Amino acid sequence: MNVATTIDRTRATSTAPTDQQVQAYLRTGLRNRWWPILPSRFIEAGAKPFGIMRLGEPLVIWRDSAGAVHVQTDRCPHRAVPLSRGINEGDRLRCNYHGVEVGPDGTVLKVPGQPGCPLEGKKAVKTYPSREIAGAIFTWFGDALHEDAPDFEPPEQLVAPEYSQFLCYADWEMAWRYAYDNLMDPMHGTFLHANSHTMYQGETQAHFVTRDTPHGFFFEKDGQRDVNFDWSEFVDHDALYVRLEIPYPKSGGPGGNFGIVGFATPADENNLAAFFWRVRKVSGWQRDTWRFLYKTNLEPRHWHVLEQDREILAGVKPGLEKHEMLYQHDAGVIRLRRYLAQQARKQLVELQTAGKG
Amino acid sequence: MSDYHFPYLSPRQTRTGEPNAWQLELANAIEAVFTKGAQELDEVVAGLNQSRVRPPSGGEWTAENFKAVMHELGV
């Protein structure tokens, strides 16, 4: 072993992030992932730019006159006031404070008060890689080592033609990780949602098992399938999401289970943006009929179920864990938390090693 | 900005307008037919013909007019 290696190892040990640092890092989300940030329908072409907080970062979202969506840091490079209070000029944003104009790639196009100023031509506003999928704007939140976005392969339920889907969006005033805990906890369906139109069947006791997948794991009831909310699948495939299925009652008609693809995007430490795609693998007249029933009768019933989740979790803040006493049904939650901590630790170590921590 | 206000807690996000009375009756009738066990298209059509809800043009429900109506309303 040479001296240089010994020194490197010593440094790596001394800078290893503590559990507290890992948890603090996670409070505003895991980086190097795609996250849905807002339903597409909220951002109209040419309309006023919109300011929003996601992963603890202030963002301005706007759609140019050609219809393309842009997501940028919500700060004018001149005096750092929000660009979202500015004007959408169709192909650029104009700050309302001193008229500084910023293009969709973050370049300062014009400083009207001082033409020729060095700020002109400078790429001074961070621009986030973004794309629209299944009615939502997805944005890449890379750390200092991963500013370029990898291709994103969305969940097939959102893009494959054999699926039909509706996006349900909600602002939840709670820490983002508890929404994932909730999704990885199928047993709450049997109790919290016992009176819902979908989750009234099955045993109130269960033994759970985990099953690995290439990009995550299943947490499922042993010996019970397609009866109630029987399983959840956690996926980390360029984005963090959970898939689950719930059998419909007869009134839901033919076409199989009701599926959910859920994301909970951190807004800040204590708020999240919930994206629940309600999906069904259904085609032809069955697809059309489900969509008609959904829009007319089913949507408020599904919303009622989601509200039960929101109400039980409302206001939970980071640190809940220290008051818990978990049991076997929480194995999925425990595994999920451990996984997120591992990923956060890995990112912190990489940043520190590169001198960017 | 369109209809966004924090916190956004809207139970209705997938339709652009209120359904009319006939559409509501039709949705309820279809759910009732499903609840009775209909799965196939001809069973649904037969079930609807037992209900009070008529197709837009009046007369009997057929596989064709049912599929056309659902296609129009379910987009």
Side-chain angles (χ1 to χ4, degrees):
Chain A
M1 182 185 296
N2 63 36
V3 174
T5 309
T6 310
I7 289 170
D8 283 350
R9 285 195 176 170
T10 308
R11 185 181 298 151
T13 306
S14 67
T15 58
T18 63
D19 288 343
Q20 287 79 5
Q21 286 171 318
V22 167
Q23 294 308 318
Y25 181 77
L26 275 177
R27 282 181 186 177
T28 52
L30 191 65
R31 269 64 186 179
N32 304 333
R33 300 293 188 283
W34 289 89
W35 291 94
I37 60 168
L38 206 65
S40 293
R41 63 193 165 90
F42 290 153
I43 306 292
E44 292 162 12
K48 195 180 176 319
F50 184 64
I52 201 168
M53 190 75 93
R54 292 290 181 263
L55 275 78
E57 300 179 22
L59 307 176
V60 56
I61 311 171
W62 57 290
R63 197 183 288 278
D64 64 32
S65 51
V69 159
H70 307 287
V71 179
Q72 300 175 298
T73 295
D74 193 14
R75 264 194 299 269
C76 176
H78 170 222
R79 290 283 303 284
V81 300
L83 281 170
S84 56
R85 292 189 194 132
I87 295 157
N88 180 352
E89 297 281 14
D91 64 346
R92 63 190 65 195
L93 291 183
R94 179 155 55 87
C95 180
N96 238 352
Y97 205 13
H98 300 91
V100 172
E101 296 177 15
V102 177
D105 68 347
T107 302
V108 176
L109 300 173
K110 197 172 174 187
V111 179
Q114 190 183 329
C117 139
L119 200 52
E120 287 184 348
K122 202 168 175 181
K123 210 167 183 176
V125 177
K126 180 176 174 179
T127 300
Y128 293 73
S130 297
R131 54 184 283 203
E132 292 185 72
I133 300 161
I137 301 160
F138 278 74
T139 295
W140 170 256
F141 288 82
D143 63 22
L145 299 173
H146 301 85
E147 283 174 1
D148 292 331
D151 284 342
F152 176 37
E153 192 181 309
E156 61 175 345
Q157 288 82 357
L158 304 194
V159 289
E162 57 266 36
Y163 289 92
S164 184
Q165 74 285 114
F166 293 99
L167 169 59
C168 172
Y169 172 83
D171 293 315
W172 281 6
E173 296 173 81
M174 66 190 70
W176 70 280
R177 290 176 61 188
Y178 303 128
Y180 283 91
D181 285 354
N182 184 58
L183 286 164
M184 290 311 294
D185 167 24
M187 205 60 191
H188 85 265
T190 312
F191 297 92
L192 181 65
H193 305 309
N195 298 321
S196 93
H197 71 120
T198 47
M199 283 177 273
Y200 55 91
Q201 302 213 48
E203 299 294 328
T204 54
Q205 297 181 20
H207 182 75
F208 281 89
V209 293
T210 55
R211 179 160 53 89
D212 288 346
T213 66
H215 296 287
F217 67 95
F218 275 88
F219 185 61
E220 56 200 342
K221 283 180 191 165
D222 194 13
Q224 179 176 306
R225 192 88 180 187
D226 295 338
V227 177
N228 198 313
F229 175 16
D230 302 322
W231 57 268
S232 286
E233 180 193 7
F234 171 71
V235 183
D236 179 8
H237 194 189
D238 302 319
L240 304 172
Y241 54 90
V242 175
R243 290 190 277 220
L244 58 93
E245 284 182 11
I246 298 162
Y248 259 135
K250 272 185 175 176
S251 58
N257 292 347
F258 173 67
I260 291 176
V261 181
F263 295 71
T265 304
D268 55 29
E269 290 191 6
N270 299 318
N271 293 277
L272 65 88
F275 294 80
F276 288 92
W277 275 272
R278 280 82 176 264
V279 305
R280 205 172 191 195
K281 195 171 190 176
V282 68
S283 62
W285 71 271
Q286 296 181 352
R287 175 187 185 278
D288 296 337
T289 305
W290 177 61
R291 292 186 69 85
F292 168 59
L293 287 183
Y294 189 96
K295 291 195 279 187
T296 310
N297 281 1
L298 303 180
E299 186 176 27
R301 295 181 206 161
H302 290 309
W303 177 260
H304 175 67
V305 177
L306 201 60
E307 279 291 90
Q308 290 173 331
D309 292 296
R310 187 183 66 83
E311 285 167 7
I312 201 93
L313 293 165
V316 289
K317 296 186 185 324
L320 178 80
E321 296 82 353
K322 62 178 178 281
H323 303 292
E324 294 173 328
M325 296 177 79
L326 305 180
Y327 53 91
Q328 200 267 339
H329 292 173
D330 306 306
V333 170
I334 293 165
R335 182 162 171 176
L336 170 68
R337 290 177 181 177
R338 192 177 299 147
Y339 178 81
L340 292 174
Q342 280 168 350
Q343 293 296 309
R345 186 177 298 277
K346 190 167 147 243
Q347 292 181 8
L348 281 168
V349 168
E350 283 176 4
L351 286 167
Q352 285 172 1
T353 306
K356 299 186 182 226
Chain B
M1 202 55 200
S2 50
D3 55 346
Y4 180 86
H5 298 285
F6 181 89
Y8 187 83
L9 295 171
S10 170
R12 290 289 194 183
Q13 305 184 20
T14 64
R15 66 189 194 197
T16 48
E18 288 296 309
N20 61 35
W22 174 79
Q23 288 166 349
L24 284 172
E25 282 188 26
L26 176 59
N28 293 339
I30 292 170
E31 278 203 84
V33 169
F34 283 152
T35 302
K36 286 178 195 154
Q39 291 277 312
E40 303 299 328
L41 180 57
D42 58 350
E43 295 169 337
V44 175
V45 168
L48 282 180
N49 278 324
Q50 304 284 314
S51 78
R52 293 185 301 112
V53 187
R54 296 296 93 207
S57 53
E60 293 286 294
W61 285 101
T62 65
E64 286 65 38
N65 66 26
F66 177 72
K67 283 201 289 187
V69 167
M70 286 302 105
H71 194 64
E72 184 190 331
L73 297 177
V75 170

